[in-house]
Amino acid sequence: MPSAPAQSETQPPPAPLAWRKNPDALKAALVCPDCRVPLESSPALRCGGCGFTVEAEQGVPRLWPPSRAAELQKSIASFKTPHSSARQSPLLRALLPPGPVCDPDERARHARVKDAMSSGLIVNLGSKSADWGAHVVNLDLVLPASGAENVDILGDIERLPFADNSIDGVICTYVLEHVGDGRACIDEIARVVKPGGQVYITVPFLFPTHPDPLDRWRWTLDGLRYSFRAFDEIEAGTSGGPFTAYVAIVPTLTASLFSNFYLFNAVRFTLGWLLWPLKFLDLLAWRSKKSYMAASNFYFRGRKR
């Protein structure tokens, strides 16, 4: 009887994985995103429980939960189809007004976050190509259009591929509004952070809809604190004040009178250019104890009990 064909003759070898940051600590923390069994690394990164094998996209490990992979792919495809041509239009991009957000404390606050999370296994969720430091692992659902860049892992925040109490800190800035199940994502963050580990979260409150590929959630400051009640508050407050909210909302509010794509964007972009200087009034308003009542965005930094 002829011998069975070798593994290499029946299927291609697994794509090589790019472990750019904290490879030892990262691989020790990884589990199957569905059954949470630690991943084996020989010959490929594989779950010994359900048999899930990690694939690579441009060298970046893709740890989507198998149970949700079809749903995630469908969501991404449904967003890209109607939006891709408009988003890639050089003319449309050139007409975009300056960003509406004025966050006077952002630079100092980010310095405090970096100082507090200067070592250990720190994960930035929904990163795209953000750079929080050479040791911070960036996780996102998909690669940016420009390529792998700074993304280190492809994963789903609703089913993080990390063991319980395995991460020293989590950064998640303006991402939770875009997830399918906000409560599930917050529970996952609380699950993976070690006791004593920190989180830094930013979310919108009064801000127009901006799908990527979803836009489902908003938080008041009290709501944000309650959502992260597993963490003792270090600091919390506005990360975009009432005048940011005004500059962000009024152009879209006025443009919503028109259903036509071109009229809608013409009005929105024109008012965006005219109103954007008003956001700098937040340099005065952000110190007010009442600014939270009509703020555009909030932040929370806490330590897990």
Side-chain angles (χ1 to χ4, degrees):
M1 180 180 293
S3 59
Q7 180 76 10
S8 60
E9 295 176 345
T10 59
Q11 54 182 256
L17 304 179
W19 301 105
R20 299 184 180 95
K21 301 173 183 175
N22 283 346
D24 294 334
L26 183 56
K27 285 186 280 188
L30 289 177
V31 298
C32 173
D34 268 342
C35 61
R36 294 181 183 162
V37 171
L39 297 177
E40 303 168 353
S41 58
S42 179
L45 202 59
R46 181 178 179 274
C47 174
C50 65
F52 165 62
T53 300
V54 178
E55 298 179 349
E57 188 173 337
Q58 297 184 36
V60 178
R62 186 169 69 185
L63 286 101
W64 286 8
S67 62
R68 281 174 46 81
E71 177 188 347
L72 294 172
Q73 192 63 58
K74 182 179 179 181
S75 176
I76 294 166
S78 67
F79 174 71
K80 286 183 176 179
T81 301
H83 289 79
S84 58
S85 59
R87 282 174 166 249
Q88 293 173 7
S89 167
L91 176 60
L92 197 62
R93 294 178 68 87
L95 293 174
L96 288 173
V101 178
C102 178
D103 182 2
D105 188 45
E106 182 181 54
R107 182 175 296 181
R109 188 171 66 250
H110 284 191
R112 296 193 295 272
V113 172
K114 289 180 179 180
D115 183 64
M117 302 190 193
S118 60
S119 62
L121 182 54
I122 311 298
V123 180
N124 177 29
L125 301 177
S127 59
K128 298 215 184 311
S129 55
D131 184 5
W132 280 89
H135 68 296
V136 178
V137 173
N138 289 335
L139 180 148
D140 210 330
L141 183 62
V142 296
L143 292 176
S146 54
E149 295 188 358
N150 291 329
V151 177
D152 303 294
I153 294 181
L154 296 176
D156 175 15
I157 305 178
E158 291 186 36
R159 299 275 185 87
L160 288 172
F162 305 117
D164 296 0
N165 304 318
S166 61
I167 307 298
D168 295 287
V170 163
I171 299 167
C172 188
T173 55
Y174 302 115
V175 172
L176 290 177
E177 68 268 29
H178 299 299
V179 300
D181 187 339
R183 183 68 257 172
C185 294
I186 293 167
D187 288 345
E188 278 291 272
I189 292 171
R191 178 183 67 82
V192 302
V193 174
K194 297 176 181 178
Q198 292 195 22
V199 294
Y200 173 61
I201 311 294
T202 59
V203 293
F205 172 42
L206 297 177
F207 206 87
T209 298
H210 51 291
D212 189 22
L214 305 170
D215 188 0
R216 285 188 173 174
W217 311 102
R218 294 293 184 271
W219 284 260
T220 63
L221 183 55
D222 284 344
L224 182 59
R225 285 170 164 148
Y226 182 77
S227 295
F228 284 88
R229 59 193 178 276
F231 297 82
D232 290 323
E233 181 180 320
I234 298 172
E235 59 175 314
T238 63
S239 52
F243 288 95
T244 289
Y246 180 86
V247 172
I249 289 173
V250 168
T252 302
L253 181 152
T254 308
S256 65
L257 293 168
F258 306 98
S259 298
N260 180 274
F261 174 85
Y262 297 101
L263 278 175
F264 174 85
N265 282 292
V267 172
R268 189 162 63 105
F269 290 178
T270 299
L271 287 176
W273 278 103
L274 292 173
L275 295 177
W276 75 268
L278 294 178
K279 72 181 184 180
F280 294 109
L281 289 173
D282 276 336
L283 292 169
L284 302 175
W286 78 280
R287 294 184 181 276
S288 168
K289 293 181 179 180
K290 301 296 185 182
S291 65
Y292 76 94
M293 298 180 71
S296 65
N297 308 312
F298 294 118
Y299 75 92
F300 175 89
R301 187 159 71 94
R303 180 179 292 107
K304 187 176 177 181
R305 297 187 189 93

